[in-house]
């Protein structure tokens, strides 16, 4: 099973193979109304904007009041209700005609051949898209898939539109790649410090998701990353200052939701201070209740004040909030007592992926979905076995452990959200809409402008930067080449070298990897002797790792060395010998190109550290504080 919300889910070797345009026309309004006849018939007369106005109500366009939604719920069978709280993965680029390999994967993991069969069998309320599940080849294909899924759901008796979701955090976690617009990730935005930029990312990113039929985004990450060793959050967080994080979270939420996409604050009650990855273990957060209130809770409070549509739970234990030893996802004191009652949140609560080890350590897969609902969850995300999870919930209601009324509460919240998003009136998208919105030049230029405001200069000995094309024309680019996190142009060394070449240098790329061998290091050192400067992309450098050995030996050649930390900015503490060091916060094209422009002096560095960097020889002391960043 793969996680739904972090970069570790991507299959690194999956090629990006853009398909031909779908050519699927947007259904006519008459077709939409016919397809949704089961919905509109179940709802009281006057649910459309015009009818509501004629009736003298103030219902917004496409929205329905709770009376109408409860009437719809009352007509649902128990099996339909159970399905509505599930959000599942499914393999394939098409709802009805996936490739054979995806049919095989669906049969193996889900017991069905196609997405349409999954919807018919389990009547799920939502589908989550992944690149590794081959859902996201290109924007027109995604739009066609979204329409196909909606039609499959609406064709069922009493069928309801689906809430299609994905993890489009930008930065290192993005499921929809080029030619869609890809923005800097959260920590880069934290370095930029602009709430306006964060709102723009949400607004434009949301508009592009909306155009391809994705209406729930599991973003923004609202965790305060105070642990440099955090293996799962890191640069996915806006930073270590809770107030700064809160402001950027609220701004991004407003941006997404202004574009008609439900934002999701994650991972409640806060995943920022852990050295354990909840995909593979069960993290324990030892913060006191007071520390939680002043640190972890701050961005979530801000998200709620901003009107956040959904909040995702964390598979972590927080003894100060619930001493029972359960993960927060299954904790009634945390989800109902704190989130619902104390913080006053009444929107949709969605679990993190139920296949992650953090939620499976204590209970079996048949108990987890039931306990999550009892705790206060509304949406059950991506269980490892739909059959086990779906039947567990069904049997819990039939056996009296869960009441049908409890199920109805969650379904009402889900339908409120679907109504707010206009899905109950018109769930379809069009190719023309894709062409108008997705990856248009204005959006791409905005992404580049925002990225230029995030690159952070941490070291610049003797004014090494900006590099001069006259004095240092030949540049060797070496370093780590992690798999592209966003279906972009990668690998990073190639992108950096290409960008520097476009800026007037003669740049060559030599990939050395995240753990270069002695032979690879020797090859890089030999190549460096023929260069005027070396740019090395670093990726989570450790004191004993061979990346550090590579950099040290490059420095020993006497050739100027510029390090670009392409993930965590903490790398700088391990690289005292470099002539210059930049933090790019990600290895996506938009951030690498911005770093190249800073190296070349085309733009000035403006970013400031959103997290402190501790000294390598004494982690109790700061090397660089929050807010540090050089200029030239």
């Amino acid at each position: 099973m793969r996680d739904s919300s972090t970069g570790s889910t991507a299959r690194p070797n999956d090629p990006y193979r853009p398909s031909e345009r779908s050519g699927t026309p947007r259904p006519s309004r008459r077709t939409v109304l016919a397809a949704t006849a089961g919905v509109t018939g179940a709802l009281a007369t006057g649910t459309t904007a015009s009818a509501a106005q004629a009736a003298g109500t103030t219902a917004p366009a496409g929205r329905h009041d709770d009376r109408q939604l409860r009437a719809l719920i009352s007509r649902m069978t128990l099996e339909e209700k159970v399905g509505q709280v599930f959000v599942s993965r499914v393999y394939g680029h098409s709802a009805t005609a996936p490739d054979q390999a995806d049919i095989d994967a669906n049969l193996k993991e889900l017991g069905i051949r196609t997405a349409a069969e999954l919807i018919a069998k389990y009547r799920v309320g939502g589908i989550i898209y992944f690149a590794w599940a081959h859902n996201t080849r290109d924007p027109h294909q995604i739009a066609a898939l979204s329409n196909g899924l909606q039609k499959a759901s609406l064709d069922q008796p009493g069928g309801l539109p689906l809430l299609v979701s994905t993890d489009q955090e930008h930065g290192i976690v993005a499921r929809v790649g080029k030619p869609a617009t890809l923005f800097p990730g959260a920590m880069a935005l934290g370095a930029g410090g602009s709430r306006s930029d964060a709102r723009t990312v949400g607004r434009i990113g949301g508009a592009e998701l909306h155009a391809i039929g994705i209406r729930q985004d599991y973003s923004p990450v609202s965790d305060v990353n105070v642990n440099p060793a955090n293996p799962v959050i890191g640069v996915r967080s806006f930073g270590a200052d809770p107030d700064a994080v809160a402001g950027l979270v609220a701004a991004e939420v407003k941006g997404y939701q202004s574009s008609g996409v439900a934002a999701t604050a994650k991972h409640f009650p806060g995943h920022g201070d852990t050295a354990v990855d909840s995909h593979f273990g069960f993290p324990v957060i030892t913060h006191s209740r007071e520390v939680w209130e002043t640190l972890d809770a701050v961005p979530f409070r801000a998200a709620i004040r901003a009107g956040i549509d959904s909040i995702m739970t964390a598979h972590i234990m927080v003894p100060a909030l619930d001493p029972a030893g359960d993960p927060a996802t299954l904790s009634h004191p945390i989800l109902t007592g704190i989130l619902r009652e104390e913080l006053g949140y009444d929107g949709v609560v969605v679990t993190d992926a139920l296949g992650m080890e953090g939620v499976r350590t204590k209970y079996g897969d048949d108990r987890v979905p039931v306990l999550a609902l009892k705790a206060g969850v509304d949406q059950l995300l991506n269980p490892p076995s739909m059959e086990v999870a779906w039947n567990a919930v069904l049997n819990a209601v039939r056996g009296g452990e869960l009441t049908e009324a409890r199920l109805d509460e969650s379904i009402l919240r889900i339908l409120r959200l679907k109504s707010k998003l206009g899905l109950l009136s018109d769930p379809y998208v069009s190719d023309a809409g894709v062409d108008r919105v997705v990856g248009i030049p204005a959006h791409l230029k905005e992404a580049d402008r925002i990225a230029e405001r995030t690159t952070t200069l941490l070291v610049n000995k003797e004014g090494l930067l900006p590099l001069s094309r006259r004095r240092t024309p030949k540049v060797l680019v070496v370093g780590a080449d992690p798999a592209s996190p966003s279906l972009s142009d990668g690998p990073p060394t190639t992108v950096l070298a290409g960008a520097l070449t476009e800026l007037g240098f003669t740049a060559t790329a030599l990939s050395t990897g995240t753990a270069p061998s002695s032979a690879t290091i020797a090859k890089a050192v030999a190549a460096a002797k023929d260069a005027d400067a070396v740019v090395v992309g670093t990726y989570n450098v450790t004191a004993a790792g061979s990346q550090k050995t590579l950099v040290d030996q490059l420095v020993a050649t006497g050739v100027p060395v510029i390090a670009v930390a392409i993930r965590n900015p903490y790398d700088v503490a391990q690289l005292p010998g470099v002539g210059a060091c930049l933090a790019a916060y990600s290895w996506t094209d938009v951030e690498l190109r911005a770093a190249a422009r800073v190296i070349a002096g085309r733009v000035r560095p403006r970013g400031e550290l959103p997290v402190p960097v501790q000294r390598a020889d004494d982690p109790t002391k700061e090397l660089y504080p929050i807010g540090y960043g050089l200029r030239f």
Side-chain angles (χ1 to χ4, degrees):
M1 241 318 285
R2 301 161 190 88
D3 157 45
S4 72
S5 68
T6 76
S8 62
T9 64
R11 285 182 174 173
N13 295 321
D14 278 355
Y16 174 48
R17 304 192 311 273
S19 68
E20 295 180 358
R21 287 182 48 162
S22 66
T24 303
R26 182 181 184 280
S28 69
R29 182 65 180 166
R30 180 174 296 178
T31 303
V32 171
L33 291 176
T36 58
V39 177
T40 55
L43 293 167
T45 302
T47 59
T48 64
S50 58
Q53 292 164 2
T57 69
T58 57
R63 296 185 68 169
H64 311 87
D65 62 32
D66 281 2
R67 176 184 58 82
Q68 295 165 328
L69 297 177
R70 288 192 177 97
L72 180 56
I73 294 169
S74 72
R75 291 167 170 80
M76 296 170 68
T77 67
L78 177 58
E79 289 79 6
E80 290 167 352
K81 290 181 178 182
V82 170
Q84 193 63 205
V85 301
F86 281 98
V87 180
S88 179
R89 72 196 179 282
V90 67
Y91 290 85
H93 71 286
S94 163
T96 56
D99 295 339
Q100 186 60 49
D102 293 322
I103 292 174
D104 294 342
N106 284 329
L107 287 169
K108 180 180 179 181
E109 295 186 19
L110 297 164
I112 47 84
R113 294 170 56 84
T114 69
E117 290 180 13
L118 175 79
I119 292 164
K121 183 173 183 179
Y122 293 110
R123 303 300 299 271
V124 293
I127 295 289
I128 179 172
Y129 286 170
F130 292 107
W132 52 256
H134 309 136
N135 305 137
T136 57
R137 292 180 178 177
D138 70 75
H140 285 283
Q141 168 269 318
I142 300 170
L145 173 60
S146 297
N147 283 343
L149 292 173
Q150 297 293 3
K151 183 178 186 303
S153 188
L154 292 168
D155 280 351
Q156 298 302 312
L160 290 169
L162 295 164
L163 192 52
V164 177
S165 61
T166 200
D167 297 288
Q168 191 77 352
E169 298 173 13
H170 296 277
I172 70 170
V173 177
R175 311 304 188 201
V176 179
K178 292 179 66 176
T181 306
L182 295 165
F183 285 96
M187 192 170 285
L189 292 175
S194 169
R195 295 182 183 183
S196 175
D197 283 352
R199 186 162 186 160
T200 297
V201 169
R203 176 179 58 80
I204 294 177
E208 296 199 9
L209 291 177
H210 188 287
I212 58 178
I214 296 172
R215 304 298 294 277
Q216 184 178 23
D217 188 15
Y218 300 133
S219 185
V221 171
S222 304
D223 305 311
V224 182
N225 198 79
V226 294
N227 189 340
N230 194 322
V232 65
I233 305 300
V235 294
R236 298 169 60 207
S237 162
F238 288 106
D241 181 309
D243 293 325
V245 171
L248 294 168
V249 164
E252 198 163 289
V253 165
K254 291 175 181 176
Y256 276 115
Q257 295 185 181
S258 72
S259 292
V261 168
T264 307
K266 63 186 187 186
H267 308 78
F268 188 83
H271 210 316
D273 189 9
T274 174
V276 175
D277 186 340
S278 51
H279 297 89
F280 311 111
F282 187 16
V284 179
I285 306 294
T286 58
H287 292 177
S288 67
R289 176 64 189 249
E290 181 181 14
V291 168
W292 179 82
E293 291 278 3
T294 57
L295 183 75
D296 305 282
V298 176
F300 291 100
R301 291 182 186 274
I304 292 169
R305 287 194 299 270
I308 187 78
D309 282 329
S310 53
I311 291 178
M312 179 180 283
T313 67
H315 304 325
I316 58 175
M317 185 198 311
V318 190
L321 305 184
D322 181 1
D326 289 331
T329 298
L330 310 182
S331 169
H332 189 274
I334 291 175
L335 298 187
T336 297
I338 295 175
L339 182 57
R340 296 284 192 209
E341 295 171 0
E342 293 183 25
L343 302 188
Y345 178 67
D346 194 36
V348 170
V349 174
V350 55
T351 70
D352 206 340
L354 295 184
M356 294 166 60
E357 192 61 31
V359 79
R360 303 171 79 187
T361 299
K362 190 172 179 181
Y363 302 99
D365 292 338
D366 59 335
R367 295 299 301 149
V368 166
V370 175
L371 294 173
L373 289 167
K374 291 174 75 171
V377 158
D378 301 307
Q379 287 183 306
L380 300 166
L381 179 61
N382 210 11
S385 168
M386 270 298 300
E387 181 179 15
V388 169
W390 190 89
N391 281 300
V393 174
L394 181 68
N395 292 332
V397 178
R398 286 176 173 167
E401 183 180 6
L402 276 174
T403 66
E404 196 164 349
R406 169 66 194 89
L407 212 55
D408 291 351
E409 289 176 16
S410 287
I411 296 168
L412 179 59
R413 292 191 187 99
I414 293 166
L415 291 183
R416 281 175 183 158
L417 181 53
K418 290 183 177 183
S419 177
K420 175 186 176 181
L421 298 174
L423 289 168
L424 298 185
S425 300
D426 185 356
Y428 293 105
V429 295
S430 69
D431 276 345
V434 172
D435 291 334
R436 273 196 310 272
V437 175
V438 179
I440 60 175
H443 290 178
L444 298 174
K445 289 178 183 177
E446 192 63 53
D448 282 334
R449 284 194 291 266
I450 290 173
E452 288 174 355
R453 296 190 278 269
T454 68
T455 307
T456 307
L457 180 60
L458 300 174
V459 175
N460 194 23
K461 296 176 183 177
E462 300 178 359
L464 174 59
L465 296 183
L467 287 185
S468 165
R469 287 178 294 172
R470 181 175 57 83
R471 292 191 301 271
T472 55
K474 293 173 62 178
V475 179
L476 172 68
V477 180
V478 302
D481 272 337
S484 168
S486 54
L487 309 178
S488 51
D489 284 342
T493 54
T494 301
V495 173
L496 277 170
L500 288 168
T501 296
E502 290 176 5
L503 292 166
F505 296 87
T506 302
T508 55
L510 174 61
S511 177
T512 51
T514 56
S517 66
S518 297
T520 299
I521 292 172
K523 184 178 180 182
V525 168
K529 293 175 181 177
D530 292 327
D532 300 308
V534 178
V535 174
V536 55
T538 65
Y539 183 98
N540 297 356
V541 178
T542 60
S546 58
Q547 283 189 76
K548 179 174 172 56
T549 303
L550 167 69
V551 175
D552 289 345
Q553 292 194 22
L554 288 170
V555 169
T557 66
V559 177
V561 175
I562 301 103
V564 179
I566 63 173
R567 185 162 180 163
N568 292 322
Y570 312 115
D571 286 2
V572 66
Q574 302 290 346
L575 307 173
V578 298
C581 184
L582 296 165
Y585 306 100
S586 176
W587 60 103
T588 51
D589 296 354
V590 68
E591 290 168 275
L592 294 175
R593 290 196 306 265
R597 291 194 291 276
V598 170
I599 290 170
R602 292 297 180 89
V603 297
R604 295 182 177 182
R606 296 171 57 182
E608 298 178 350
L609 281 175
V611 293
V613 174
Q614 273 69 38
R615 287 172 49 171
D617 59 347
D618 186 356
T620 64
K621 296 180 180 178
E622 285 185 357
L623 178 64
Y624 301 118
I626 290 176
Y628 181 84
L630 300 176
R631 303 288 186 265
F632 56 65

